[in-house]
Structure formats: C-alpha cells, structure tokens
Amino acid sequence: MPGEPAVLSIENLSVALPEGGDREFAVRGITLDVKPGETVCLVGESGSGKTVAAQSTIGMLPKALPVVAGRVCFESKSLPPQRSKAFDSLRGIKMAMIFQDAVASLDPVQRIGRQLEEILAVHGVDRRSRKKRVLDSLETARLPDPPRIYRSYPHQLSGGQAQRVVIAGSLLLNPRLLIADEPTTALDVTTQAEILDLLKDLKRERKASVLFITHDFGVVAEIADRIAVMKEGEIVETGSADAVLGAPEHPYTRRLLAAARKRDPAREASPAKRVLEVRNLSLDYKIGRLLSKKHIHAVKGVSLQLEEGRTLAIVGESGSGKSSLARCILRLVDASAGTIRFKGDDITEEKGSKLRALRKRIQFVQQDPYSAINPRQTVLSAIAEGPIIHDATKRDAEARATELLEVTGLSVNAGSRYPHEFSGGQLQRICIARALALEPELLVADEPVSALDVSIQAQILDLFRSLQSKFGFAMVFITHDLRVAQSISDDILVMKDGEVVESGAAAKVFSAPSHPYTKALLAAAPDIALRRRAAA
Amino acid sequence: MTAYILAKFARAAATLLIAVSLVFIFIRFSGDPAAALAPPDAPQEVIDQYAEAMGLDKPLWQQYASYIGGLLQGDFGYSIHTGKPALELFLERLPSTLRLGSTALLIALAVGIPLGSFAALNRGTKVDRFAMAFSVFAFAMPNFLFGLCVILGGALLFQTYFGGTDASVLPAALTLGLAAMGSFARFTRSSLLETINAPFMRAAEARGVPYMRRLVAHAAPNAAIPLVTLIGLSLGALIAGSVVTEQVFGWPGVGQLLVRSVATRDIATVQFIVLAIAFTMVLANLLVDMLYLVIDPRIRTR
Amino acid sequence: MESLKPRARPPRIPWSIRLSFCFIALFVLFALFGEILSPYGFRETSLFDRLLPPGSPGYILGTDARGRDVLVRLAVGAQITLIVAIVGTLIGAVIGSLLGIVAAARRGVIEHVIVAAIDVQASLPIIVVALFVLAMFDNSFTLFLLLVGLTGWEVYARLMRGATLSVQERGYVTAVRALGASPARIYLRHILPNILNVALVQFTVNLPLTVLLETALSFLGLGVQPPLTSLGQIMSEGRDRLLTAWWLTLFPGAIIFLLALSVSLCGDWVRDRLDPTLRSES
C-alpha cells in the first residue's frame, strides 16, 4: 500500500517523564506510521513507553507527562498534544481503544446495553436505531445470546466476554483506527486465541487500522503486518512482520525473540528413585457463610509421580486446579481425599512439629516475587531464616545464604538490602535462594516466571535448570504457559477443571497430544504462529 | 440476593439481642437494682417490694426471660422521678430531637457533598486545600466549644440568645451538623477521586463520552455507593453529638433527657433511651444494606 | 542486572505540621510543669479575687467564680486531659488490636463472637455507652478512664482483623510457613511488624476522639469530678458566665480544639509517611 496516506503518523514524538523517574523521557523521538487496513504491533517490555505512545494518539496522556517535541497526525491532521475538546469528535467515531482489563473498563453499575448505547447517543445516533445496532455489534463480536449480554452487568461476564463487549463497543461507529493496549494479556490462552481471531477477521471485514500494543512476540507473530520494537522509550527496530521475525537486526529484538522461542531438546529419562507419589487426590473448598454455602471441587482425583532430579510441569488455564494441587503437595492446605507419599512415607496427615520438619525437604517458589518476601526483612535474613528455623546457627545460616546469593546470580552485598530495592527478576532469584537454603529434595514452583518480562523469564528458567543440575532436586513446575512448560519439563501433566486430562513425557505430549483439550491448548498458543513463521 | 437479605436481617436481629442482653446484664449487676430504683431514703420494706416486683428472688434466666418478655410487651419501666412511663418521657422529647437532627443532617449533606465534589474535581487547587482544611477543622472542633461560640456570637452580633425552647433550630443544627459536614466533604472527595481515576472512566473518555456526561452518568453513581454507608454511620455521630449540643443550647430533646436522667440516676429512662438508640442504629444500618440492593447491581445480581 | 532502584528522598515537612508539633510539645510541657507558673494551688480559693479578667495583677489568665487562679487550673486540667488521652487511647488500642488479631488468627466461633461484639459497639455511640454505665455505677476516675479508653476499640479490632487477614494471605507468610516456621514465629516476626503501622495510624486518629469524649463528658458534668479538674470540667463551670467571664470557657476550649487539631494534622501526616498505600488520596 505504498503511497497511500497513513491513517496515523507519529512524527519524532518525545514525551517527558516527571523529575525523579528512572529516565528523562517516557518516549523519545519515536516515528511510526499506521497505514489504512494495517495492523502495527508496538512491542516492548513493561516500562518501555509503549502505553505512553498509545495514550498520546488518543489524547489521554496524564498531565504529568507533557509532549516536548514532535507531533501526532491523524488522517493527515495534527492532533493537539494534550487532553482537548478536539478529541471528542474523534474518539469513538474515528478512533477507538480497547484495554487490558476489559471488566474494569466498563462501568460496574450500568448494564452493558446502556453503556454501548451511550457511545451512539453521544455521537448523535438516532434513539430508535441504537438498540438494534448494539445487538448487531454484539453479534459481530461473536458473543453468545446478545440480548442477554445486553441486559447484563459487567461483573456477570467472563474476562473474554467483557473484552468482546468492549470490542463490540469500539466497532459501533466503524472507526478507522483501533488502538489495542495489551487486550489479551489478562486472558487464558484459548480465550486469547479467540480474541485474536476476532480482531483479525474484523480488521479484514472492516478495513480498519490497528495499533496493537503487546509484550508478547507470540501474539505479534499471530497478528502483525508491521512491527515496531520499543526499548526504554525508543523504537529500536521497525519493519514488516516477516522481516523483523525472520531476520531481526537489533540485538534487543533478537534477545526478545530468542527468549520467546527458547526450548531444550527433551532430556533423557533415566530410571531413578521416586520422590513424590500422589494418588487420587481431591480438594474441596467450602465457601460462603451460613446461609449460602457452596462446595467447590478444586482438585478431583489427581494421581501423579515424580522421580529424583526430574521436572514435572503441571499445565492448565486459570481455575484448572493446578495451584490448589501444588498447595496440597506442599501441605499448606489439607487434601479432602487421597494420599501424598514423599520418599515412600505417607505425608497426607502429618501435623505439628513433624510437618514443620518435613517442610525442610519440600520447598516452594511462588508466582509473585514482590509479595513473597517480608518487606521488613533484609534479603540475607530472609534467605537465612529457613536454616535458622531448622536449628542452624546464625553464622552458618548466613554463610549459606551468602553462598546462595552468589549461586543465584546476585551480588553478595545485596544481602543487606530490603526487598523493595530489587526488580521482579532479582526478587525471584532471592526467593529461589531462600527455598534452596534448606537443601530441599523437592521444589514446588507455582508460576514462578509468569509475573516477569520475557527476557527475564528466560534468565530465571536458565537458573532453575542450572540449579537443578547442581543440587539435584526434583521439581514440580506449575505454569499456564506451554512455551515455559516445554522448555523446562521432562514430564507434563495437563489439567482442566480439576482433573488430569493428559500426562506423559514432555516430548510425547508436545509432538502427539492425544486429548482434544491439549490439542486446543497447543493450537491456541500464539507461540505456534511464531514457530510457523520461523520455519517459513 | 435472598441470602443477602436474610443474612442482613439475621445480623440485625442478633446485634439487637446482644445489645438488649448487655443492658440487662449491666442493670442486674450494677449493685442492688431494687435499691437503685426505689426512691431515696426508702425504708427496707419498700425496697423489698421493689425486689419482689422485679423478680429478683427468682433464678437469673427467669429474670432474663421476664425482662425480654416485658420489653416485647412494651413495658419499659417507669421514671423514678416523675413516675411516668419511660416511653412517654421519650416520646415527649422525640419530635424536637428529630427536628434538630434532621436539620443538622440536611445542612451537613447540603454543604459537605458539594464541597467534597468540588475539591475532588479541582484537586490540588485552593478550593481543594480549603475543603481539606475545613474537614480537619470540623473534626477537631468540639461541638460544645463551637456551640458556645455560636451563642456568644449571637449575643454579641445580634443581641439574641440562640438557646432555649423557642429559639430557632438553625444555630443548634449548624453546631450539631458541623462534624458530619466535615466528614462528608472529606469522604466525598476521596470517593469521587477514586472513581474519577478508575479504568472505566478512562475507557469512557476513549469512547468519546464528554466530560460532564462522564461525571454525571458514571462517576456520580459509583462514588455514591460508599457514601451511603457513611451517611448511615454518621447517624451514630449525630446521636452522640446531639447529647452535647442539646445540653449547650438548652434544647428540650432526648439528649438532654438522657444527660439529666444519668445525673439523677433515673435508670429506667436511661435504659429505654439506650435501647431506642441501639434500635435506631441497627435499623439504619439495615436500611443502608437494603439500599445497596437498589444502587449496587453487583450485590443485587450476585 | 544488579542495578538497584534509587532510594526515595524524604519530603519536606510542611509548616502546618511543624506548628502542630510545636503546639503538642508546648501542651505537654504546660501539662507537666504549668503549675510552676502560678504561686497558687489549683484548689486555692480567694473570695476577694473572684472573676478577675485576664491580665489582672497576680492572675495572668484571670480567676473563676470562686477566686481560683485560671492559669494553674488550666495546667492541672491539661495534666488530667493528657493522662486520660494517653492512657485511654492505649487501653482501646491494646484491647481492640488484640481482639482483632485473635479473631483473624483463630477463625471459627471466637471470630464470630468478636465480630458480633464489634457490630454491637458500632451500633451504640461510645458516649451513650459511657452515659449508661455512669448511670449504673458510682463515678470514679478509674471507671471513667476505662470508659473513655473504650473509644474506638471496635475500629482497632476491625482494622487489625482486616490487616491480619490480608497479611496472612501474602506470599511471604505462605513462604515462611513453607519454610517450617512455628505459628509463634509467623505471628510475632512476620505478621505483627507488618500490621503495627495500621494500629499506629489509628492511634493518631483515635487520640483526638478520646480527648473530645473526655472533655465532652466532663463538660456535661459526668466526667472528671471535683475536686479533680480537667479542661472540659473547667469549661462546664464557666459556661453559665459565658458573656461576663468569657475567659473561663474560651481558654480551655481553645486548648482542647488546638490539641485535637494538631494531633489529627500530625496523624494525617504520619499516616502518609508510614504507608503510602493508606494515603488519603493527596
């Protein structure tokens, strides 16, 4: 489409950060065109300035972030740099935006129908035709039973449905530009795949341009025509999707892509001693109070086993019961039925001091590293706490902790600092060090990399692998991300609605999945598109 | 939703029952209730008569049962000083207290909510700072001092006495409403600020909804939800404040009756007023909970 | 990799806070040593020097209807008010916080009982409870102190229960549990330090309320009883002479107001410093 004027062009735009930020500019001298009918992906890790770029195109920059140079043009006309009435005639009609958290972007006390009709009302659409247009739009967004959705409140919708509603709203007036800010990040893989499909189809049918903001190269490969990679406020590389994905030029792009594609060849299975054996484990929760008690079956009759030095990945979407299973194995919650054997001993019913002694041998790494360390504790005392609880002298414990700081790739002088002084990746290293300070025989890691940026993810996964070969612990690795599971596991167990739907050696499950759900998961993973592109 | 309503009613009933039981326990163990209720300097026979009438010789649970039974039949005891039923004394005073309290609440709402909204919408400006300063001032100002200042001001500026039976309700209501006014202003400000910065407000802006419409159609209803709770709670503060305010202005209301009855140890009257206040508060909280059903669909359609 | 976030600079202290701190310090000094400023005892009457206005020879702040020196009475009143404020606030804080933590830690029946107690207290203004009890029992300073101390216990209990419940769910408590720590270690070393600031912030909110309750009850003549005195009681003695002897009410009134104002200003400020997440949206 060369020669055709761009719908949106960002010209040499710089936006300042307030004093005291970690850099001077939120975005610095970025230039980017979005042509008619084109999807441009703006890719970057958190804090790269990609959201600021999006906000400046729709006139929603916070006051604290002024435009200091450059401009944004829409349909060849320059847009005001700050919030302005001029945008009232653009937003909703000519450009629309969808957000990461769709439920939160809907007014909680108004019905969906009323909120969508409002868009038509404020842009002067005749009252009588509004309802029909909204219902049509909901239909277009492939929502089941549009009249019901029309009457619903936002909290009655699932995340995926809410995102469809927001998309339906954004398409009501056929805007020329759709700005999508991480619209699938909060969703499960299968829902994500559906939303991406919907966006692709809509783009094709409506010929709208899309500015798509994401951190996930898998999603990029799925949807992008062109790609702009951002790092610390600057665009480091732009080009067609094929060019950037096929032959990335900038080292940063290459690093991000490598992190997204990373996987090991399947490791040799060797006969070894059994560390963990779970039989028919179930977990029921009672929720609600006296008058409205409900039973939730989080885990239903799960069995698994794990041998020394090996890694079992438990894969499933949110609500599949994988974290509940982890908590049972860790004996943080009591199973409702079934047995857990650890090194041959039945530990299902261990209590009191026996249980506390057992904890030394089974350790835990959690998803959110920011909350996993007591904010009032220095890093060294956090790592040393485990050995101290289990009767090591303070000196020995601290010596061990210092050693672990080094092993996990942190500097020794980090020990005297407090958690808030570290980044997420560093904190996760500290948590791993704390778990390993007890020399556990089994490590249970619950989504340990899903709160981290992709390039950091790769580093932490590497750390897990090298520590495992160094210390020889067995590992249960919980994740929703097939890419991560594939890169770290020997065996894999796929869960859905509290049940195991498939299990086996990782290589076998990935190459020849037998259960339809596993197949769906694999097909939905945006990573597959990435691989397809790479192969082409 | 049915479960919600049932739970709220059960909770209100339980709260009320516990309050009644506590009142009973206190009265029963505060010494010899018969001696306390009997006229001063009464001979022993009279006190014994009282004890028998109150059933003090029976086991405790029977006393409790007959106490509750009496309450349910509307038997709230007699004032030892006037000989009238406590209920009658209370009802005589109720209209003037209601007049004072409702005027104070109206003043507090009429000033506090606009002030707080204005502060939130002009955050960081002089208006905002004034509103915040005012709310701290209103919180720290003891109502007896403010009331005395109002009376003093009335005497010096208008040569009138702002107290007594036939005075205007406004000076007293202003005194009573001051604290609530400050807390309404502060709370409205924070609730509105939170709502204004909510993601759905940004999303509405991105959809092209104009500023005023965003405020009226989206921000106001959402910000009002927590405010309803505060208004329910402020009833307690108003009742507490009216005890002192009525005393300062010589206002012939329930608060004044309570203070006088405490000073003269008119236990039946004190007991009835305490129970009435507990009942009013429980009822108000229940009303607030039911109001939630109307204004918050997240509860209604759970 | 090892780049650490820069430490935040401490913000400047606004002048209103400096003034408030100064006033609180002055008030405490006055309460402790104010009696030295006057040659008279606080119960010493002088029939010839009744109702002298401030500035009269020998009586800087004037005298009351019985010819007692207002300055020394204010000093003693401030002392009592200070004692009641601090001891009373501590009583409420300790009782309320303990109940809140126990409710969160034990769950089950104990929690239901405590929550019910909180509900009951929340539906009866503390001044009404105090009046009720004062009608039943003989007024003594200890009883009065206890009653005033109950101000806001239910708020502590509610806040601390919530804080404990939320901290219990944090990752680091789970992590420490998974390390094998005993419940005592978990509560004392990991939960308590992280919820203490909630109680501390509430302390600064509650202190002015305690002062206001004490002075209000004393003003009604149902609090601190003569021969002892407190700021509220001095006011109540002077209120019938509001127009002729304004100094009897306005001096103690101003002290009470400024004290409550200073403490709540400082409280807001301390809250913002201690916990940015509790920050009152400014």
Side-chain angles (χ1 to χ4, degrees):
Chain A
M1 296 156 268
E4 219 174 328
V7 174
L8 175 79
S9 58
I10 300 176
E11 296 167 9
N12 197 24
L13 183 78
S14 293
V15 175
L17 274 178
E19 237 179 283
D22 60 347
R23 57 176 195 255
E24 217 175 317
F25 294 96
V27 300
R28 180 176 197 165
I30 61 167
T31 298
L32 183 70
D33 279 357
V34 183
K35 303 245 163 58
E38 184 185 44
T39 298
V40 175
C41 276
L42 200 52
V43 200
E45 297 187 283
S46 54
S48 60
K50 53 193 197 302
T51 295
V52 170
Q55 285 171 334
S56 64
T57 63
I58 197 162
M60 285 175 61
L61 277 177
K63 276 198 186 114
L65 305 177
V67 171
V68 290
R71 59 178 192 156
V72 179
C73 292
F74 182 75
E75 294 183 326
S76 309
K77 282 193 283 287
S78 185
L79 294 176
Q82 293 295 316
R83 280 168 196 255
S84 149
K85 279 227 184 284
F87 283 104
D88 283 355
S89 57
L90 294 174
R91 294 177 189 148
I93 313 178
K94 298 268 177 119
M95 50 169 86
M97 185 158 180
I98 58 181
F99 300 88
Q100 176 170 348
D101 188 348
V103 176
S105 72
L106 293 165
D107 185 335
V109 303
Q110 275 190 12
R111 293 178 199 275
I112 298 299
R114 205 174 136 200
Q115 295 192 50
L116 295 193
E117 281 187 17
E118 180 180 43
I119 303 174
L120 296 172
V122 299
H123 294 112
V125 172
D126 179 56
R127 179 180 297 273
R128 275 159 301 174
S129 63
R130 284 180 206 157
K131 181 167 183 182
K132 188 175 175 310
R133 283 181 70 167
V134 166
L135 288 173
D136 286 350
S137 193
L138 291 172
E139 180 101 52
T140 315
R142 293 181 208 147
L143 277 154
D145 197 359
R148 184 180 63 81
I149 301 285
Y150 182 90
R151 285 192 311 270
S152 300
Y153 288 99
H155 69 275
Q156 296 169 308
L157 306 180
S158 69
Q161 285 176 332
Q163 195 58 282
R164 283 166 198 275
V165 164
V166 173
I167 291 172
S170 69
L171 296 174
L172 274 172
L173 292 161
N174 271 321
R176 291 203 66 200
L177 175 68
L178 183 64
I179 301 165
D181 188 357
E182 302 260 12
T184 58
T185 309
L187 305 173
D188 281 333
V189 246
T190 42
T191 320
Q192 164 168 302
E194 288 163 19
I195 296 283
L196 290 178
D197 275 349
L198 172 66
L199 284 173
K200 271 192 286 190
D201 291 354
L202 289 174
K203 185 195 108 183
R204 203 177 312 125
E205 286 159 23
R206 308 255 179 146
K207 309 260 182 306
S209 312
V210 182
L211 178 61
F212 196 103
I213 293 160
T214 181
H215 70 282
D216 187 341
F217 259 109
V219 172
V220 173
E222 195 74 37
I223 200 163
D225 297 320
R226 274 194 317 124
I227 298 174
V229 182
M230 283 193 80
K231 180 181 187 248
E232 290 170 11
E234 294 178 52
I235 293 184
V236 295
E237 179 161 7
T238 42
S240 72
D242 290 333
V244 175
L245 294 174
E249 283 175 5
H250 195 276
Y252 180 70
T253 316
R254 266 183 247 147
R255 219 174 79 213
L256 286 181
L257 270 170
R261 285 199 181 115
K262 186 140 212 159
R263 65 183 51 86
D264 274 359
R267 277 183 277 173
E268 288 293 305
S270 56
K273 273 172 75 183
R274 183 154 298 176
V275 177
L276 179 70
E277 182 169 5
V278 173
R279 281 253 171 89
N280 289 324
L281 192 80
S282 295
L283 176 65
D284 302 339
Y285 285 112
K286 265 182 279 184
I287 60 162
R289 302 180 86 178
L290 295 165
L291 292 164
S292 55
K293 232 172 228 172
K294 273 187 204 150
H295 286 265
I296 305 267
H297 306 288
V299 180
K300 303 175 204 161
V302 169
S303 299
L304 59 86
Q305 60 268 324
L306 176 63
E307 275 81 35
E308 228 166 41
R310 288 175 69 87
T311 300
L312 169 71
I314 301 178
V315 184
E317 299 186 280
S318 60
S320 63
K322 55 192 197 304
S323 288
S324 301
L325 176 61
R327 284 171 175 261
C328 285
I329 295 173
L330 284 157
R331 292 295 327 281
L332 290 169
V333 292
D334 291 330
S336 319
T339 54
I340 308 166
R341 299 181 87 85
F342 177 68
K343 292 256 164 152
D345 304 324
D346 186 346
I347 59 162
T348 326
E349 308 268 321
E350 288 296 34
K351 277 194 186 66
S353 59
K354 267 194 168 164
L355 176 60
R356 289 203 285 273
L358 175 74
R359 295 208 185 284
K360 182 177 184 318
R361 305 167 67 192
I362 308 178
Q363 270 304 301
F364 187 29
V365 176
Q366 303 173 76
Q367 172 171 6
D368 178 15
Y370 292 97
S371 72
I373 304 169
N374 187 342
R376 290 164 189 278
Q377 212 173 11
T378 63
V379 164
L380 194 73
S381 83
I383 301 175
E385 181 154 17
I388 288 174
I389 289 169
H390 293 281
D391 303 324
T393 64
K394 192 161 183 262
R395 225 170 103 201
D396 291 351
E398 287 185 351
R400 169 96 182 133
T402 313
E403 188 189 316
L404 276 162
L405 278 175
E406 257 186 293
V407 174
T408 50
L410 291 154
S411 76
V412 177
N413 61 27
S416 60
R417 295 180 179 265
Y418 285 89
H420 69 269
E421 298 176 62
F422 294 88
S423 68
Q426 291 167 328
L427 286 172
Q428 200 57 292
R429 284 167 193 272
I430 295 166
C431 292
I432 295 170
R434 175 175 60 187
L436 295 182
L438 287 170
E439 302 176 48
E441 292 150 69
L442 172 64
L443 188 65
V444 179
D446 188 1
E447 299 264 16
V449 296
S450 52
L452 307 174
D453 278 334
V454 204
S455 59
I456 309 289
Q457 275 191 9
Q459 292 171 8
I460 298 290
L461 289 174
D462 277 343
L463 180 68
F464 271 114
R465 275 188 291 259
S466 73
L467 291 172
Q468 192 176 30
S469 57
K470 188 175 160 104
F471 295 106
F473 50 83
M475 180 153 68
V476 173
F477 196 102
I478 316 266
T479 179
H480 69 281
D481 190 336
L482 283 168
R483 194 163 57 205
V484 168
Q486 196 176 16
S487 78
I488 198 150
S489 64
D490 303 302
D491 302 296
I492 201 158
L493 189 131
V494 181
M495 282 185 79
K496 182 176 193 290
D497 300 332
E499 285 170 298
V500 176
V501 295
E502 178 153 7
S503 66
K508 190 181 137 273
V509 173
F510 278 105
S511 57
S514 61
H515 194 275
Y517 180 70
T518 317
K519 287 180 190 160
L521 269 184
L522 278 168
D527 173 48
I528 304 304
L530 191 62
R531 231 180 302 155
R532 223 169 34 225
R533 292 253 196 180
Chain B
M1 184 162 107
T2 325
Y4 173 86
I5 296 177
L6 283 177
K8 293 298 175 190
F9 269 90
R11 190 163 156 166
T15 306
L16 210 54
L17 186 68
I18 296 173
V20 170
S21 310
L22 284 177
V23 167
F24 169 77
I25 291 170
F26 263 98
I27 292 184
R28 182 61 193 79
F29 293 103
S30 64
D32 187 350
L37 289 182
D41 310 323
Q44 190 58 42
E45 307 88 82
V46 181
I47 296 179
D48 288 345
Q49 269 171 18
Y50 267 91
E52 198 180 331
M54 294 166 77
L56 289 181
D57 46 345
K58 294 188 194 129
L60 203 59
W61 66 268
Q62 271 185 15
Q63 292 177 35
Y64 181 63
S66 65
Y67 176 76
I68 300 274
L71 291 185
L72 288 178
Q73 286 165 23
D75 174 11
F76 301 109
Y78 292 83
S79 159
I80 45 163
H81 295 291
T82 58
K84 287 186 191 171
L87 176 63
E88 197 182 315
L89 280 177
F90 176 80
L91 289 178
E92 276 171 16
R93 301 290 193 116
L94 190 60
S96 46
T97 288
L98 285 182
R99 198 154 73 93
L100 177 63
S102 54
T103 316
L105 185 61
L106 278 180
I107 295 178
L109 289 172
V111 179
I113 292 180
L115 186 63
S117 313
F118 212 66
L121 298 179
N122 297 284
R123 188 179 169 186
T125 61
K126 278 186 182 142
V127 184
D128 187 17
R129 279 196 291 277
F130 168 77
M132 285 298 89
F134 171 75
S135 81
V136 178
F137 164 84
F139 170 78
M141 174 57 87
N143 47 9
F144 48 90
L145 176 63
F146 189 72
L148 291 177
C149 290
V150 167
I151 290 176
L152 197 61
L156 296 179
L157 298 176
F158 306 108
Q159 274 77 45
T160 44
Y161 175 53
F162 276 159
T165 35
D166 39 50
S168 155
V169 70
L170 281 177
L174 185 67
T175 306
L176 178 55
L178 182 73
M181 204 185 292
S183 71
F184 288 167
R186 194 185 178 106
F187 201 81
T188 306
R189 176 180 179 272
S190 69
S191 176
L192 195 56
L193 271 180
E194 195 175 307
T195 314
I196 287 176
N197 294 319
F200 66 82
M201 290 295 287
R202 268 189 297 125
E205 188 181 357
R207 277 179 224 139
V209 182
Y211 180 71
M212 276 317 286
R213 189 181 174 117
R214 289 205 298 275
L215 280 188
V216 175
H218 298 290
N222 278 286
I225 293 173
L227 207 60
V228 166
T229 314
L230 182 75
I231 294 172
L233 283 178
S234 71
L235 196 67
L238 280 179
I239 290 173
S242 70
V243 173
V244 178
T245 308
E246 289 183 5
Q247 198 70 14
V248 172
F249 285 89
W251 190 262
V254 177
Q256 199 188 39
L257 176 66
L258 176 62
V259 172
R260 191 170 298 167
S261 307
V262 170
T264 56
R265 304 223 158 175
D266 187 344
I267 290 180
T269 311
V270 173
Q271 166 205 278
F272 181 75
I273 295 176
V274 168
L275 290 178
I277 291 174
F279 184 73
T280 314
M281 292 287 296
V282 168
L283 201 65
N285 285 332
L286 196 60
L287 265 177
V288 167
D289 287 334
M290 294 305 122
L291 201 55
Y292 265 140
L293 281 180
V294 180
I295 60 176
D296 193 342
R298 282 163 291 190
I299 293 176
R300 198 183 337 142
T301 58
R302 193 164 43 186
Chain C
M1 173 71 226
E2 196 53 29
S3 68
L4 293 165
K5 296 180 194 166
R7 284 168 200 252
R9 267 176 296 167
R12 279 200 356 259
I13 303 175
W15 60 267
S16 58
I17 301 304
R18 292 170 196 238
L19 273 181
S20 302
F21 272 119
C22 285
F23 180 80
I24 295 170
L26 267 178
F27 174 81
V28 172
L29 282 178
F30 179 62
L32 293 179
F33 306 111
E35 280 177 275
I36 305 169
L37 298 176
S38 164
Y40 312 99
F42 79 100
R43 281 143 72 178
E44 200 178 316
T45 55
S46 166
L47 291 176
F48 301 104
D49 299 325
R50 288 187 301 173
L51 296 173
L52 292 178
S56 305
Y59 302 99
I60 307 172
L61 296 181
T63 59
D64 69 5
R66 292 205 231 158
R68 293 174 297 192
D69 181 29
V70 170
L71 177 65
V72 72
R73 288 188 67 73
L74 284 180
V76 174
Q79 220 172 69
I80 299 296
T81 297
L82 182 68
I83 291 172
V84 175
I86 290 180
V87 177
T89 311
L90 275 176
I91 293 175
V94 170
I95 294 179
S97 303
L98 273 180
L99 286 175
I101 296 172
V102 167
R106 301 293 315 176
R107 315 306 297 260
V109 182
I110 294 177
E111 185 182 22
H112 283 298
V113 170
I114 294 175
V115 169
I118 294 173
D119 278 356
V120 172
Q121 178 66 76
S123 57
L124 275 175
I126 183 72
I127 190 168
V128 174
V129 175
L131 287 173
F132 176 67
V133 175
L134 288 172
M136 301 290 145
F137 298 94
D138 289 324
N139 194 336
S140 72
F141 189 63
T142 323
L143 176 68
F144 180 63
L145 199 57
L146 252 169
L147 282 174
V148 174
L150 288 180
T151 315
W153 72 265
E154 86 278 10
V155 183
Y156 283 104
R158 203 161 35 80
L159 287 176
M160 292 302 264
R161 172 168 169 265
T164 310
L165 284 176
S166 108
V167 172
Q168 273 173 345
E169 292 303 311
R170 296 256 177 93
Y172 62 83
V173 173
T174 317
V176 175
R177 234 178 104 204
L179 286 177
S182 62
R185 186 181 182 97
I186 293 173
Y187 278 94
L188 292 178
R189 306 242 342 215
H190 293 281
I191 294 183
L192 200 59
N194 283 295
I195 56 174
L196 219 51
N197 54 359
V198 176
L200 207 62
V201 165
Q202 185 53 30
F203 193 89
T204 63
V205 176
N206 220 21
L207 191 77
L209 289 175
T210 310
V211 171
L212 293 179
L213 177 65
E214 179 269 313
T215 48
L217 281 172
S218 298
F219 177 80
L220 294 176
L222 298 167
V224 174
Q225 300 292 323
L228 226 53
T229 192
S230 87
L231 293 177
Q233 200 234 346
I234 299 175
M235 278 188 81
S236 99
E237 284 176 358
R239 61 176 278 233
D240 293 335
R241 293 188 173 75
L242 184 62
L243 287 178
T244 49
W246 50 268
W247 56 93
L248 294 181
T249 41
L250 289 198
F251 284 146
I255 296 177
I256 297 168
F257 168 62
L258 288 175
L259 181 66
L261 186 69
S262 310
V263 174
S264 38
L265 281 175
C266 292
D268 280 358
W269 183 74
V270 168
R271 167 172 51 190
D272 288 357
R273 294 294 307 274
L274 268 186
D275 191 349
T277 57
L278 283 174
R279 196 171 295 237
S280 54
E281 75 294 313
S282 54

